[in-house]
Structures are given as structure tokens and as C-alpha cells.
Amino acid sequence: MMSFLASCQNLASRPWVIDDLENFKLKWSMKSWKKAVIFVDNSGADIILGILPFARELLRRGTQV
């Protein structure tokens, strides 16, 4: 099993082939969505560390998730 630190060290540096992070951050700060659907796989760590905090932030902003 790989550790989180080892995984972070193996990531390619930005810019990636498809890198829309700056556009997303700009839209995120200026806009709130009415509804969102989040599809997840069956990996527990991804859900706990990524999807749940993301969904909570969407809910905090008034989005129906």
C-alpha cells in the first residue's frame, strides 16, 4: 500500500496536459451552482479525503447535492 506522501511525490508537476484549475478556481470564487451530482467509485480513501469535503463545501454554498 502506498502512503499519501509517496503518492504526492509521484505526481507530475503543473501544467498538466489538461489543466483547467485556474479557470475552475475563478468560477468557484464568483459563482454558486444550483445543483450538483457527484459520481464516486468504491475507494474509501478518495471518498473520505476528497469527495465528502467537496460535497460539504458545495452544500455550504447552497448547492443541492
Side-chain angles (χ1 to χ4, degrees):
M1 178 183 227
M2 256 172 94
S3 72
F4 180 73
L5 181 60
S7 296
C8 289
Q9 291 173 343
N10 289 332
L11 292 175
S13 60
R14 289 185 67 202
W16 302 302
V17 175
I18 299 173
D19 189 1
D20 293 331
L21 180 61
E22 298 305 321
N23 291 337
F24 177 77
K25 287 181 356 183
L26 179 64
K27 287 180 183 178
W28 181 265
S29 66
M30 299 176 67
K31 179 181 177 182
S32 181
W33 291 269
K34 290 181 183 180
K35 296 180 181 182
V37 176
I38 301 173
F39 294 94
V40 298
D41 61 8
N42 59 353
S43 175
D46 290 344
I47 293 169
I48 300 298
L49 297 174
I51 299 302
L52 286 178
F54 179 59
R56 288 182 62 184
E57 181 62 23
L58 286 170
L59 289 168
R60 191 183 69 76
R61 293 168 161 258
T63 303
Q64 181 182 356
V65 179

Short mmCIF file of all heavy atoms in Angstrom, two decimals:
data_model
loop_
_atom_site.label_atom_id
_atom_site.label_comp_id
_atom_site.label_asym_id
_atom_site.label_seq_id
_atom_site.Cartn_x
_atom_site.Cartn_y
_atom_site.Cartn_z
N MET A 1 0.85 -1.18 0.00
CA MET A 1 0.00 0.00 0.00
C MET A 1 0.89 1.24 0.00
O MET A 1 1.82 1.35 0.79
CB MET A 1 -0.91 -0.03 1.23
CG MET A 1 -1.79 1.17 1.33
SD MET A 1 -2.74 1.09 2.85
CE MET A 1 -4.32 1.47 2.25
N MET A 2 0.60 2.18 -0.89
CA MET A 2 1.39 3.40 -0.99
C MET A 2 0.92 4.43 0.02
O MET A 2 -0.26 4.54 0.29
CB MET A 2 1.23 4.00 -2.39
CG MET A 2 2.42 3.77 -3.27
SD MET A 2 2.09 4.28 -4.94
CE MET A 2 2.71 5.92 -4.94
N SER A 3 1.85 5.18 0.56
CA SER A 3 1.47 6.22 1.50
C SER A 3 1.07 7.49 0.74
O SER A 3 1.37 7.65 -0.44
CB SER A 3 2.64 6.54 2.43
OG SER A 3 3.66 7.22 1.73
N PHE A 4 0.38 8.38 1.44
CA PHE A 4 -0.05 9.63 0.84
C PHE A 4 1.15 10.45 0.38
O PHE A 4 1.16 11.01 -0.71
CB PHE A 4 -0.90 10.42 1.84
CG PHE A 4 -1.41 11.73 1.30
CD1 PHE A 4 -2.42 11.76 0.36
CD2 PHE A 4 -0.85 12.93 1.72
CE1 PHE A 4 -2.89 12.95 -0.15
CE2 PHE A 4 -1.31 14.13 1.22
CZ PHE A 4 -2.34 14.14 0.29
N LEU A 5 2.19 10.51 1.20
CA LEU A 5 3.39 11.27 0.86
C LEU A 5 4.05 10.72 -0.40
O LEU A 5 4.44 11.46 -1.29
CB LEU A 5 4.37 11.28 2.02
CG LEU A 5 5.67 12.04 1.81
CD1 LEU A 5 5.39 13.52 1.52
CD2 LEU A 5 6.56 11.92 3.03
N ALA A 6 4.15 9.39 -0.49
CA ALA A 6 4.75 8.77 -1.67
C ALA A 6 3.92 9.08 -2.91
O ALA A 6 4.47 9.34 -3.98
CB ALA A 6 4.88 7.26 -1.47
N SER A 7 2.60 9.06 -2.77
CA SER A 7 1.74 9.39 -3.91
C SER A 7 1.94 10.83 -4.36
O SER A 7 1.99 11.12 -5.55
CB SER A 7 0.27 9.18 -3.53
OG SER A 7 0.02 7.83 -3.26
N CYS A 8 2.04 11.75 -3.40
CA CYS A 8 2.25 13.16 -3.73
C CYS A 8 3.58 13.39 -4.44
O CYS A 8 3.67 14.22 -5.34
CB CYS A 8 2.19 14.02 -2.46
SG CYS A 8 0.55 14.16 -1.76
N GLN A 9 4.58 12.65 -4.07
CA GLN A 9 5.90 12.81 -4.69
C GLN A 9 5.92 12.27 -6.11
O GLN A 9 6.75 12.67 -6.91
CB GLN A 9 6.96 12.12 -3.84
CG GLN A 9 7.20 12.83 -2.52
CD GLN A 9 8.12 12.05 -1.60
OE1 GLN A 9 8.34 10.86 -1.79
NE2 GLN A 9 8.64 12.73 -0.60
N ASN A 10 4.99 11.38 -6.45
CA ASN A 10 4.95 10.80 -7.79
C ASN A 10 4.08 11.60 -8.76
O ASN A 10 4.02 11.25 -9.94
CB ASN A 10 4.44 9.36 -7.73
CG ASN A 10 5.45 8.44 -7.11
OD1 ASN A 10 6.64 8.68 -7.17
ND2 ASN A 10 4.97 7.37 -6.49
N LEU A 11 3.42 12.64 -8.29
CA LEU A 11 2.57 13.44 -9.17
C LEU A 11 3.40 14.26 -10.14
O LEU A 11 4.46 14.79 -9.78
CB LEU A 11 1.69 14.39 -8.35
CG LEU A 11 0.61 13.76 -7.50
CD1 LEU A 11 -0.09 14.82 -6.67
CD2 LEU A 11 -0.39 13.02 -8.36
N ALA A 12 2.92 14.38 -11.35
CA ALA A 12 3.58 15.25 -12.33
C ALA A 12 3.33 16.70 -11.96
O ALA A 12 2.28 17.05 -11.42
CB ALA A 12 3.03 14.96 -13.72
N SER A 13 4.29 17.56 -12.22
CA SER A 13 4.13 18.97 -11.88
C SER A 13 3.23 19.66 -12.92
O SER A 13 3.07 19.18 -14.04
CB SER A 13 5.48 19.66 -11.81
OG SER A 13 6.14 19.56 -13.06
N ARG A 14 2.65 20.77 -12.50
CA ARG A 14 1.78 21.54 -13.40
C ARG A 14 2.66 22.32 -14.37
O ARG A 14 3.77 22.67 -14.03
CB ARG A 14 0.94 22.53 -12.58
CG ARG A 14 -0.12 21.84 -11.77
CD ARG A 14 -1.00 22.82 -11.08
NE ARG A 14 -1.79 23.56 -12.06
CZ ARG A 14 -2.33 24.75 -11.82
NH1 ARG A 14 -2.18 25.33 -10.67
NH2 ARG A 14 -3.03 25.35 -12.74
N PRO A 15 2.21 22.64 -15.54
CA PRO A 15 0.88 22.39 -16.10
C PRO A 15 0.77 20.97 -16.64
O PRO A 15 1.70 20.43 -17.21
CB PRO A 15 0.77 23.40 -17.22
CG PRO A 15 2.17 23.62 -17.69
CD PRO A 15 3.03 23.44 -16.46
N TRP A 16 -0.39 20.38 -16.43
CA TRP A 16 -0.68 19.05 -16.95
C TRP A 16 -1.18 19.18 -18.38
O TRP A 16 -1.38 20.28 -18.88
CB TRP A 16 -1.74 18.37 -16.08
CG TRP A 16 -1.32 18.27 -14.65
CD1 TRP A 16 -0.19 17.66 -14.16
CD2 TRP A 16 -1.98 18.82 -13.51
NE1 TRP A 16 -0.14 17.78 -12.80
CE2 TRP A 16 -1.23 18.49 -12.36
CE3 TRP A 16 -3.15 19.54 -13.34
CZ2 TRP A 16 -1.61 18.86 -11.09
CZ3 TRP A 16 -3.52 19.91 -12.06
CH2 TRP A 16 -2.75 19.57 -10.96
N VAL A 17 -1.41 18.07 -19.04
CA VAL A 17 -1.88 18.09 -20.43
C VAL A 17 -3.20 18.85 -20.50
O VAL A 17 -3.40 19.72 -21.34
CB VAL A 17 -2.05 16.65 -20.98
CG1 VAL A 17 -2.65 16.67 -22.37
CG2 VAL A 17 -0.70 15.95 -21.00
N ILE A 18 -4.12 18.54 -19.61
CA ILE A 18 -5.38 19.28 -19.49
C ILE A 18 -5.36 19.92 -18.10
O ILE A 18 -5.43 19.22 -17.10
CB ILE A 18 -6.61 18.36 -19.65
CG1 ILE A 18 -6.58 17.72 -21.02
CG2 ILE A 18 -7.90 19.15 -19.42
CD1 ILE A 18 -7.65 16.66 -21.23
N ASP A 19 -5.23 21.24 -18.05
CA ASP A 19 -5.08 21.94 -16.78
C ASP A 19 -6.05 23.11 -16.73
O ASP A 19 -5.74 24.21 -17.16
CB ASP A 19 -3.64 22.42 -16.62
CG ASP A 19 -3.36 22.95 -15.24
OD1 ASP A 19 -4.26 22.95 -14.39
OD2 ASP A 19 -2.22 23.39 -15.00
N ASP A 20 -7.25 22.86 -16.20
CA ASP A 20 -8.27 23.90 -16.07
C ASP A 20 -8.41 24.39 -14.64
O ASP A 20 -9.43 24.98 -14.29
CB ASP A 20 -9.62 23.37 -16.56
CG ASP A 20 -9.63 23.10 -18.05
OD1 ASP A 20 -8.90 23.79 -18.77
OD2 ASP A 20 -10.38 22.21 -18.48
N LEU A 21 -7.41 24.15 -13.81
CA LEU A 21 -7.51 24.51 -12.40
C LEU A 21 -7.73 26.00 -12.19
O LEU A 21 -8.59 26.40 -11.40
CB LEU A 21 -6.27 24.05 -11.63
CG LEU A 21 -6.27 24.37 -10.14
CD1 LEU A 21 -7.43 23.68 -9.44
CD2 LEU A 21 -4.95 23.99 -9.51
N GLU A 22 -7.01 26.84 -12.89
CA GLU A 22 -7.15 28.29 -12.71
C GLU A 22 -8.55 28.75 -13.12
O GLU A 22 -9.16 29.57 -12.43
CB GLU A 22 -6.08 29.05 -13.49
CG GLU A 22 -4.66 28.74 -13.05
CD GLU A 22 -4.42 28.97 -11.56
OE1 GLU A 22 -4.95 29.96 -11.01
OE2 GLU A 22 -3.70 28.16 -10.96
N ASN A 23 -9.07 28.22 -14.22
CA ASN A 23 -10.44 28.57 -14.64
C ASN A 23 -11.46 28.11 -13.61
O ASN A 23 -12.41 28.83 -13.30
CB ASN A 23 -10.77 27.93 -15.99
CG ASN A 23 -9.99 28.54 -17.13
OD1 ASN A 23 -9.52 29.67 -17.02
ND2 ASN A 23 -9.83 27.79 -18.19
N PHE A 24 -11.28 26.91 -13.07
CA PHE A 24 -12.20 26.39 -12.06
C PHE A 24 -12.16 27.25 -10.80
O PHE A 24 -13.20 27.58 -10.23
CB PHE A 24 -11.86 24.93 -11.72
CG PHE A 24 -12.73 24.37 -10.63
CD1 PHE A 24 -14.02 23.98 -10.90
CD2 PHE A 24 -12.25 24.25 -9.34
CE1 PHE A 24 -14.83 23.47 -9.90
CE2 PHE A 24 -13.05 23.76 -8.33
CZ PHE A 24 -14.34 23.35 -8.61
N LYS A 25 -10.96 27.62 -10.35
CA LYS A 25 -10.84 28.45 -9.15
C LYS A 25 -11.51 29.81 -9.34
O LYS A 25 -12.17 30.31 -8.43
CB LYS A 25 -9.37 28.64 -8.77
CG LYS A 25 -8.77 27.39 -8.19
CD LYS A 25 -7.32 27.45 -7.74
CE LYS A 25 -6.52 28.66 -7.96
NZ LYS A 25 -5.12 28.57 -7.55
N LEU A 26 -11.39 30.38 -10.52
CA LEU A 26 -12.03 31.66 -10.81
C LEU A 26 -13.55 31.53 -10.78
O LEU A 26 -14.23 32.32 -10.13
CB LEU A 26 -11.57 32.20 -12.17
CG LEU A 26 -12.16 33.52 -12.62
CD1 LEU A 26 -11.73 34.64 -11.66
CD2 LEU A 26 -11.74 33.84 -14.03
N LYS A 27 -14.08 30.50 -11.44
CA LYS A 27 -15.52 30.27 -11.44
C LYS A 27 -16.02 29.94 -10.04
O LYS A 27 -17.09 30.36 -9.62
CB LYS A 27 -15.90 29.14 -12.39
CG LYS A 27 -15.79 29.53 -13.84
CD LYS A 27 -16.18 28.37 -14.73
CE LYS A 27 -16.00 28.73 -16.19
NZ LYS A 27 -16.33 27.61 -17.08
N TRP A 28 -15.25 29.16 -9.29
CA TRP A 28 -15.62 28.75 -7.93
C TRP A 28 -15.77 29.97 -7.02
O TRP A 28 -16.69 30.03 -6.21
CB TRP A 28 -14.55 27.81 -7.38
CG TRP A 28 -14.82 27.31 -6.01
CD1 TRP A 28 -14.35 27.83 -4.85
CD2 TRP A 28 -15.62 26.19 -5.64
NE1 TRP A 28 -14.80 27.09 -3.79
CE2 TRP A 28 -15.58 26.08 -4.25
CE3 TRP A 28 -16.36 25.26 -6.37
CZ2 TRP A 28 -16.26 25.08 -3.56
CZ3 TRP A 28 -17.02 24.27 -5.67
CH2 TRP A 28 -16.97 24.19 -4.29
N SER A 29 -14.90 30.93 -7.17
CA SER A 29 -14.95 32.11 -6.30
C SER A 29 -16.05 33.09 -6.69
O SER A 29 -16.48 33.88 -5.87
CB SER A 29 -13.60 32.83 -6.31
OG SER A 29 -13.34 33.37 -7.59
N MET A 30 -16.53 33.02 -7.92
CA MET A 30 -17.51 34.00 -8.40
C MET A 30 -18.92 33.46 -8.52
O MET A 30 -19.86 34.22 -8.65
CB MET A 30 -17.07 34.53 -9.77
CG MET A 30 -15.73 35.23 -9.75
SD MET A 30 -15.21 35.73 -11.38
CE MET A 30 -16.41 36.96 -11.77
N LYS A 31 -19.10 32.13 -8.50
CA LYS A 31 -20.38 31.54 -8.86
C LYS A 31 -20.73 30.41 -7.90
O LYS A 31 -19.86 29.71 -7.42
CB LYS A 31 -20.29 31.01 -10.28
CG LYS A 31 -21.53 30.35 -10.80
CD LYS A 31 -21.29 29.85 -12.21
CE LYS A 31 -22.51 29.12 -12.73
NZ LYS A 31 -22.31 28.59 -14.05
N SER A 32 -22.03 30.23 -7.66
CA SER A 32 -22.51 29.08 -6.92
C SER A 32 -23.49 28.32 -7.81
O SER A 32 -24.32 28.93 -8.48
CB SER A 32 -23.20 29.54 -5.64
OG SER A 32 -23.65 28.43 -4.91
N TRP A 33 -23.38 27.02 -7.84
CA TRP A 33 -24.24 26.21 -8.68
C TRP A 33 -25.52 25.87 -7.93
O TRP A 33 -25.54 25.74 -6.71
CB TRP A 33 -23.52 24.93 -9.09
CG TRP A 33 -22.41 25.20 -10.04
CD1 TRP A 33 -22.50 25.21 -11.40
CD2 TRP A 33 -21.05 25.52 -9.75
NE1 TRP A 33 -21.27 25.51 -11.96
CE2 TRP A 33 -20.37 25.70 -10.96
CE3 TRP A 33 -20.33 25.66 -8.57
CZ2 TRP A 33 -19.02 26.02 -11.04
CZ3 TRP A 33 -19.00 25.99 -8.63
CH2 TRP A 33 -18.36 26.16 -9.85
N LYS A 34 -26.63 25.69 -8.68
CA LYS A 34 -27.91 25.33 -8.06
C LYS A 34 -27.92 23.86 -7.66
O LYS A 34 -28.37 23.52 -6.58
CB LYS A 34 -29.07 25.58 -9.03
CG LYS A 34 -29.35 27.04 -9.29
CD LYS A 34 -30.53 27.16 -10.24
CE LYS A 34 -30.78 28.62 -10.56
NZ LYS A 34 -31.92 28.77 -11.47
N LYS A 35 -27.44 22.98 -8.54
CA LYS A 35 -27.46 21.55 -8.29
C LYS A 35 -26.15 20.93 -8.75
O LYS A 35 -25.53 21.41 -9.69
CB LYS A 35 -28.60 20.87 -9.04
CG LYS A 35 -29.98 21.31 -8.60
CD LYS A 35 -31.04 20.60 -9.39
CE LYS A 35 -32.43 21.07 -8.94
NZ LYS A 35 -33.49 20.36 -9.65
N ALA A 36 -25.77 19.85 -8.08
CA ALA A 36 -24.56 19.11 -8.46
C ALA A 36 -24.78 17.63 -8.23
O ALA A 36 -25.44 17.23 -7.27
CB ALA A 36 -23.36 19.58 -7.65
N VAL A 37 -24.26 16.82 -9.12
CA VAL A 37 -24.27 15.37 -8.98
C VAL A 37 -22.82 14.94 -8.91
O VAL A 37 -22.00 15.33 -9.73
CB VAL A 37 -24.97 14.69 -10.18
CG1 VAL A 37 -24.89 13.18 -10.06
CG2 VAL A 37 -26.40 15.15 -10.29
N ILE A 38 -22.49 14.14 -7.91
CA ILE A 38 -21.12 13.67 -7.73
C ILE A 38 -21.12 12.15 -7.87
O ILE A 38 -21.81 11.46 -7.13
CB ILE A 38 -20.56 14.07 -6.35
CG1 ILE A 38 -20.60 15.59 -6.19
CG2 ILE A 38 -19.15 13.54 -6.18
CD1 ILE A 38 -20.23 16.06 -4.81
N PHE A 39 -20.34 11.64 -8.81
CA PHE A 39 -20.19 10.20 -9.00
C PHE A 39 -18.88 9.78 -8.35
O PHE A 39 -17.86 10.43 -8.52
CB PHE A 39 -20.16 9.86 -10.50
CG PHE A 39 -21.45 10.15 -11.19
CD1 PHE A 39 -21.65 11.36 -11.85
CD2 PHE A 39 -22.48 9.23 -11.18
CE1 PHE A 39 -22.84 11.64 -12.49
CE2 PHE A 39 -23.68 9.50 -11.81
CZ PHE A 39 -23.86 10.70 -12.47
N VAL A 40 -18.92 8.69 -7.60
CA VAL A 40 -17.72 8.20 -6.91
C VAL A 40 -17.52 6.73 -7.22
O VAL A 40 -18.44 6.02 -7.60
CB VAL A 40 -17.82 8.41 -5.38
CG1 VAL A 40 -17.92 9.87 -5.04
CG2 VAL A 40 -19.00 7.66 -4.79
N ASP A 41 -16.28 6.29 -7.03
CA ASP A 41 -16.01 4.86 -7.15
C ASP A 41 -16.02 4.26 -5.74
O ASP A 41 -16.41 4.90 -4.80
CB ASP A 41 -14.69 4.61 -7.89
CG ASP A 41 -13.49 5.20 -7.16
OD1 ASP A 41 -13.64 5.66 -6.02
OD2 ASP A 41 -12.40 5.19 -7.74
N ASN A 42 -15.57 3.06 -5.62
CA ASN A 42 -15.65 2.38 -4.34
C ASN A 42 -14.37 2.47 -3.50
O ASN A 42 -14.13 1.65 -2.64
CB ASN A 42 -16.04 0.91 -4.54
CG ASN A 42 -15.05 0.17 -5.40
OD1 ASN A 42 -14.15 0.76 -5.96
ND2 ASN A 42 -15.23 -1.13 -5.52
N SER A 43 -13.56 3.47 -3.73
CA SER A 43 -12.34 3.65 -2.95
C SER A 43 -12.64 4.51 -1.72
O SER A 43 -12.98 5.68 -1.83
CB SER A 43 -11.27 4.33 -3.80
OG SER A 43 -10.14 4.61 -3.01
N GLY A 44 -12.51 3.93 -0.55
CA GLY A 44 -12.85 4.62 0.70
C GLY A 44 -12.04 5.87 0.95
O GLY A 44 -12.57 6.90 1.38
N ALA A 45 -10.73 5.83 0.69
CA ALA A 45 -9.87 6.99 0.97
C ALA A 45 -10.26 8.18 0.10
O ALA A 45 -10.29 9.32 0.58
CB ALA A 45 -8.41 6.62 0.74
N ASP A 46 -10.57 7.95 -1.17
CA ASP A 46 -10.98 9.05 -2.05
C ASP A 46 -12.26 9.70 -1.58
O ASP A 46 -12.41 10.92 -1.62
CB ASP A 46 -11.18 8.55 -3.48
CG ASP A 46 -9.88 8.17 -4.17
OD1 ASP A 46 -8.82 8.58 -3.67
OD2 ASP A 46 -9.94 7.49 -5.19
N ILE A 47 -13.18 8.88 -1.11
CA ILE A 47 -14.46 9.42 -0.64
C ILE A 47 -14.27 10.24 0.63
O ILE A 47 -14.76 11.37 0.73
CB ILE A 47 -15.47 8.27 -0.41
CG1 ILE A 47 -15.82 7.62 -1.74
CG2 ILE A 47 -16.72 8.77 0.28
CD1 ILE A 47 -16.59 6.34 -1.63
N ILE A 48 -13.53 9.70 1.58
CA ILE A 48 -13.34 10.37 2.88
C ILE A 48 -12.51 11.64 2.73
O ILE A 48 -12.83 12.69 3.30
CB ILE A 48 -12.67 9.42 3.89
CG1 ILE A 48 -13.53 8.18 4.12
CG2 ILE A 48 -12.36 10.14 5.20
CD1 ILE A 48 -14.88 8.45 4.72
N LEU A 49 -11.42 11.58 2.00
CA LEU A 49 -10.48 12.70 1.93
C LEU A 49 -10.79 13.71 0.83
O LEU A 49 -10.30 14.84 0.88
CB LEU A 49 -9.05 12.18 1.73
CG LEU A 49 -8.52 11.32 2.86
CD1 LEU A 49 -7.16 10.75 2.49
CD2 LEU A 49 -8.43 12.12 4.15
N GLY A 50 -11.61 13.33 -0.15
CA GLY A 50 -11.84 14.24 -1.27
C GLY A 50 -13.30 14.57 -1.52
O GLY A 50 -13.68 15.73 -1.55
N ILE A 51 -14.10 13.54 -1.69
CA ILE A 51 -15.49 13.76 -2.10
C ILE A 51 -16.33 14.36 -0.99
O ILE A 51 -17.09 15.30 -1.22
CB ILE A 51 -16.11 12.45 -2.62
CG1 ILE A 51 -15.34 11.93 -3.83
CG2 ILE A 51 -17.58 12.65 -2.96
CD1 ILE A 51 -15.25 12.89 -4.99
N LEU A 52 -16.25 13.82 0.23
CA LEU A 52 -17.06 14.36 1.32
C LEU A 52 -16.74 15.82 1.62
O LEU A 52 -17.67 16.64 1.74
CB LEU A 52 -16.94 13.50 2.57
CG LEU A 52 -17.68 12.16 2.51
CD1 LEU A 52 -17.44 11.38 3.79
CD2 LEU A 52 -19.15 12.35 2.27
N PRO A 53 -15.48 16.22 1.72
CA PRO A 53 -15.21 17.66 1.93
C PRO A 53 -15.71 18.52 0.77
O PRO A 53 -16.22 19.62 0.98
CB PRO A 53 -13.69 17.73 2.06
CG PRO A 53 -13.28 16.38 2.47
CD PRO A 53 -14.26 15.43 1.85
N PHE A 54 -15.58 18.02 -0.46
CA PHE A 54 -16.06 18.76 -1.62
C PHE A 54 -17.58 18.91 -1.57
O PHE A 54 -18.12 20.00 -1.79
CB PHE A 54 -15.63 18.02 -2.90
CG PHE A 54 -16.09 18.67 -4.17
CD1 PHE A 54 -15.73 19.96 -4.49
CD2 PHE A 54 -16.89 17.97 -5.07
CE1 PHE A 54 -16.15 20.57 -5.67
CE2 PHE A 54 -17.31 18.54 -6.25
CZ PHE A 54 -16.95 19.85 -6.55
N ALA A 55 -18.29 17.83 -1.26
CA ALA A 55 -19.75 17.87 -1.16
C ALA A 55 -20.19 18.81 -0.03
O ALA A 55 -21.15 19.58 -0.19
CB ALA A 55 -20.31 16.47 -0.94
N ARG A 56 -19.51 18.77 1.09
CA ARG A 56 -19.85 19.66 2.22
C ARG A 56 -19.67 21.12 1.82
O ARG A 56 -20.47 21.98 2.19
CB ARG A 56 -18.98 19.34 3.43
CG ARG A 56 -19.37 18.03 4.10
CD ARG A 56 -18.54 17.76 5.30
NE ARG A 56 -18.78 18.83 6.27
CZ ARG A 56 -18.15 18.95 7.41
NH1 ARG A 56 -17.24 18.06 7.75
NH2 ARG A 56 -18.42 19.95 8.23
N GLU A 57 -18.62 21.42 1.08
CA GLU A 57 -18.39 22.80 0.65
C GLU A 57 -19.48 23.24 -0.33
O GLU A 57 -19.95 24.37 -0.27
CB GLU A 57 -17.01 22.94 0.01
CG GLU A 57 -16.67 24.34 -0.44
CD GLU A 57 -16.63 25.36 0.68
OE1 GLU A 57 -16.45 25.00 1.85
OE2 GLU A 57 -16.78 26.58 0.37
N LEU A 58 -19.87 22.36 -1.23
CA LEU A 58 -20.97 22.68 -2.14
C LEU A 58 -22.25 22.96 -1.35
O LEU A 58 -22.96 23.92 -1.62
CB LEU A 58 -21.21 21.55 -3.13
CG LEU A 58 -20.18 21.40 -4.26
CD1 LEU A 58 -20.42 20.09 -5.01
CD2 LEU A 58 -20.23 22.58 -5.20
N LEU A 59 -22.55 22.11 -0.37
CA LEU A 59 -23.74 22.31 0.47
C LEU A 59 -23.66 23.63 1.23
O LEU A 59 -24.65 24.34 1.35
CB LEU A 59 -23.91 21.14 1.45
CG LEU A 59 -24.33 19.82 0.81
CD1 LEU A 59 -24.16 18.69 1.81
CD2 LEU A 59 -25.75 19.90 0.31
N ARG A 60 -22.48 23.95 1.74
CA ARG A 60 -22.28 25.20 2.47
C ARG A 60 -22.58 26.41 1.59
O ARG A 60 -23.08 27.43 2.03
CB ARG A 60 -20.85 25.28 3.01
CG ARG A 60 -20.62 26.42 3.99
CD ARG A 60 -19.17 26.47 4.41
NE ARG A 60 -18.27 26.88 3.36
CZ ARG A 60 -18.12 28.14 2.94
NH1 ARG A 60 -18.80 29.10 3.46
NH2 ARG A 60 -17.27 28.41 1.97
N ARG A 61 -22.31 26.28 0.30
CA ARG A 61 -22.54 27.36 -0.65
C ARG A 61 -23.98 27.40 -1.19
O ARG A 61 -24.31 28.21 -2.02
CB ARG A 61 -21.58 27.24 -1.83
CG ARG A 61 -20.16 27.47 -1.46
CD ARG A 61 -19.25 27.05 -2.61
NE ARG A 61 -17.96 27.66 -2.48
CZ ARG A 61 -17.56 28.72 -3.18
NH1 ARG A 61 -18.33 29.26 -4.06
NH2 ARG A 61 -16.35 29.21 -2.98
N GLY A 62 -24.82 26.46 -0.71
CA GLY A 62 -26.22 26.47 -1.11
C GLY A 62 -26.56 25.59 -2.29
O GLY A 62 -27.67 25.65 -2.82
N THR A 63 -25.65 24.75 -2.72
CA THR A 63 -25.89 23.86 -3.84
C THR A 63 -26.64 22.62 -3.36
O THR A 63 -26.33 22.08 -2.31
CB THR A 63 -24.55 23.43 -4.48
OG1 THR A 63 -23.83 24.58 -4.86
CG2 THR A 63 -24.75 22.53 -5.68
N GLN A 64 -27.61 22.18 -4.13
CA GLN A 64 -28.31 20.93 -3.83
C GLN A 64 -27.47 19.80 -4.39
O GLN A 64 -27.25 19.71 -5.60
CB GLN A 64 -29.69 20.93 -4.46
CG GLN A 64 -30.49 19.69 -4.17
CD GLN A 64 -31.85 19.69 -4.86
OE1 GLN A 64 -32.23 20.66 -5.51
NE2 GLN A 64 -32.57 18.60 -4.73
N VAL A 65 -26.96 18.93 -3.51
CA VAL A 65 -26.07 17.83 -3.92
C VAL A 65 -26.84 16.53 -3.84
O VAL A 65 -27.48 16.24 -2.86
CB VAL A 65 -24.83 17.76 -3.02
CG1 VAL A 65 -23.93 16.62 -3.45
CG2 VAL A 65 -24.06 19.08 -3.08
#
